[in-house]
Amino acid sequence: LDFVWNVQNFVWDQRFQELCRFRATHHHCQVKQQANDDNANANSSSSSSLSMWVHNQKCHYRAMLQGKKSSSPLTPARWQALAAIGFWDDAFVTHTSVWNTRLSELQDFHHAHAHSNVPEEYRDHYALGQWVMNQRLQYKAYIAGLSTALTPERIAALEALDFR
């Protein structure tokens, strides 16, 4: 009998192996939240579970950086295992790149309209409207002391555009 004594460790190991296989196939660790042609898997529920697990690892990492407790702490061994396959490079370089691109687009919007109140469903640039809405939600979470991707530097960049 193969009895699993620690389900949390077992599930983490299974997802990590799944991520390793994904990386071997796709050459990156950017698992999309919805299966598409780039991340096609025979089992879409497996892809969905992996994307949630990847998202959770990023959340646990941010919580660790902020000194907050997490429901499933990211141990040093797990952090190193993820680092060994390039997870952190893929996870945060891409996020930073997208964030900086949207900030630049918000700066262009601010220059053209003299404000940064991009409508949530902005017809001319839907992704920018959604990003702005997300920044507002992230800011509220940040103020409440929750784990977010917003840093004091990012908040200052937004505030320089009269972001509200």
Side-chain angles (χ1 to χ4, degrees):
L1 264 194
D2 286 329
F3 188 79
V4 176
W5 291 101
N6 187 318
V7 175
Q8 192 175 38
N9 287 342
F10 177 78
V11 170
W12 196 95
D13 292 341
Q14 292 295 311
R15 290 289 177 245
F16 179 73
Q17 292 305 316
E18 190 176 345
L19 180 62
C20 289
R21 289 189 298 274
F22 179 93
R23 182 166 180 75
T25 301
H26 300 285
H27 310 291
H28 63 76
C29 295
Q30 301 167 28
V31 182
K32 305 277 188 219
Q33 288 189 344
Q34 296 177 350
N36 60 28
D37 291 340
D38 292 337
N39 295 340
N41 266 343
N43 183 348
S44 63
S45 66
S46 175
S47 177
S48 177
S49 296
L50 180 60
S51 70
M52 183 57 74
W53 181 84
V54 164
H55 172 77
N56 287 340
Q57 300 317 298
K58 294 174 193 176
C59 290
H60 297 317
Y61 178 71
R62 281 192 287 273
M64 181 181 75
L65 288 179
Q66 296 172 354
K68 296 179 181 176
K69 294 208 178 221
S70 177
S71 61
S72 175
L74 187 61
T75 65
R78 288 177 177 178
W79 188 92
Q80 288 178 340
L82 290 166
I85 64 167
F87 178 82
W88 302 116
D89 298 336
D90 288 347
F92 294 105
V93 170
T94 300
H95 178 78
T96 299
S97 174
V98 169
W99 200 93
N100 289 335
T101 298
R102 292 289 181 259
L103 178 63
S104 177
E105 294 166 351
L106 181 60
Q107 289 166 335
D108 292 344
F109 181 93
H110 184 268
H111 180 73
H113 301 280
H115 65 81
S116 59
N117 297 323
V118 181
E120 183 178 325
E121 301 207 10
Y122 184 46
R123 265 186 286 163
D124 295 341
H125 195 329
Y126 182 78
L128 180 61
Q130 294 297 298
W131 181 83
V132 165
M133 176 196 65
N134 187 45
Q135 299 315 297
R136 289 187 180 113
L137 293 172
Q138 293 285 315
Y139 183 74
K140 287 177 185 175
Y142 179 87
I143 294 301
L146 301 174
S147 177
T148 75
L150 276 183
T151 63
E153 296 80 15
R154 287 181 174 183
I155 291 170
L158 291 169
E159 287 176 344
L161 299 172
D162 290 329
F163 190 82
R164 291 181 175 78

